[in-house]
Amino acid sequence: MASWSGSTLLPETEDKAIKELNEIPENRENDIQAIRDMIITRPDIHFTRTDDVFIIRFLRARKFDILEAFKMYAKYYEFRQLKFRALFVHFMASDPDMYQALMDGFPVVLDDTDHLGRKILILNTANWEVWRYQYVQIFRALLLSLEYLIQNEETQVHGFVIVVDWTAFTFKQASRLSLSLMKLTIEGLQDCFPARFSGIHFINQPWYIEAAFTICRPFLKPATKEKIFLHGNNLTTLHTHIHKEILPTELGGLLPAVNIGKFARELLRQNFEINFGVSAPEPRGQSSPTLTRSMSVPLPNENYGNQNGQSNYGNQNGQSNYGNQNGQCDKQDNLEFLLKFD
C-alpha cells in the first residue's frame, strides 16, 4: 500500500516525529487504517470523523502505539457524546458564554512558538469574573481553542505549553472550583484530547492552589506529574523552560503586553465550531436563542449583570434557558451536575 502523502510536516519536523513519536512515513496509511478497522469494536460511539487527517492526531499523541491511540480516539468521543455531552452543545466561538471567556483571554495564544516549536497558551486567572460565567465556560473555551490549534501538523508534533498565572486569584474564585471540576479538566486534557502537553507552568500561585494541586495529584499520570512546574514568583525558573525572547512583559519577557482578545477574534472570524453529533437543546417554552449584540460581549460602558451582581443571561430566576421542557439535555442541569459529581 502506498504511503500516505497528506503530511505537511517540514523536513526537520518529520525527523523529530520519526525520532520522538515512532512515526514511520511509509507506514502512516497502514497505521491510520488499523485505527479505522477498530471502530467496529465500539458501536456505542458515533465516530463523526474517520478521515486520515483527523486520526493521525491520535497516533502522534500516543507515539504510534495503535492500541493506545485507538483508546484515546474512543475516549475523545465518549467524553463528548456520552459522559459530558452538555459541554459540547453550541460548541462554537460565537456561543455567548464561551465567547465571553475567550475575550477574557482564556486562553491567550502567543503568535510565536518557543525554541522547541511548541505553541504557548497563557491563562490569567485574574481575568475570570465569576458572576459572568462558570468555570466550565473557561474549560469549553480552552478545548475549542485546542481543537483549532491542533489542526496544524507542526503543533501535533511539537505540542503545547500552558502557563497559568495565579496573580490576584481570590478565595471567591477558588470557591467556584471543586475537586469534581478539577477531575473533569484532568480527564478532558490528559486522556481525551490528542495533543502533546510538554509543560504546564504555574506562576504566582497562592498556598491554597498548591494545596489543591496536592489533592489532584493522585488523578495525574506519572508522566503528567513530571510536566507540571510550580514556580511561585520566581520567573527566572520559568525562563529556563520558555525563553524570555518570546514571552510578553507580564511574564518577565521581552515582548510587549499581550492583546487578550486577539485569538478570540480570530476564532470568530473563522466561524469556528465543531459538531460532535450532540443534539442542540431547545429552550424551555420558547424558541431557540439566537446570537444578537445583546448576548455578545458587552461594550465597556454596558452593565454585565443585574443590581445584585448576577448575570443577566437566562430567565427571570437567573437560570440558564438552555434545555427543553422535559429537562432532556438541559445545559444548566448538566452543568450543576458537573459542579457536584465526585
Side-chain angles (χ1 to χ4, degrees), residues 142-205:
L142 177 60
L143 288 177
L144 185 74
S145 300
L146 290 171
E147 292 280 4
Y148 181 78
L149 295 168
I150 202 63
Q151 295 176 109
N152 186 305
E153 282 200 275
E154 295 288 311
T155 302
Q156 293 171 24
V157 175
H158 296 302
F160 296 96
V161 175
I162 298 177
V163 180
V164 185
D165 187 351
W166 296 97
T167 302
F169 188 73
T170 65
F171 272 112
K172 183 176 182 179
Q173 291 171 305
S175 69
R176 300 300 181 95
L177 302 178
S178 65
L179 178 60
S180 58
L181 287 174
M182 295 302 95
K183 289 166 64 177
L184 170 75
T185 304
I186 291 169
E187 181 180 359
L189 298 179
Q190 176 180 254
D191 303 318
C192 305
F193 191 80
R196 304 182 71 194
F197 294 100
S198 301
I200 300 175
H201 300 267
F202 289 2
I203 63 171
N204 299 316
Q205 72 277 0

Side-chain angles (χ1 to χ4, degrees), residues 39 41-47 78 81-82:
I39 290 176
T41 67
R42 291 300 304 269
D44 56 320
I45 295 175
H46 180 203
F47 292 88
E78 185 178 283
Q81 294 177 353
L82 304 179

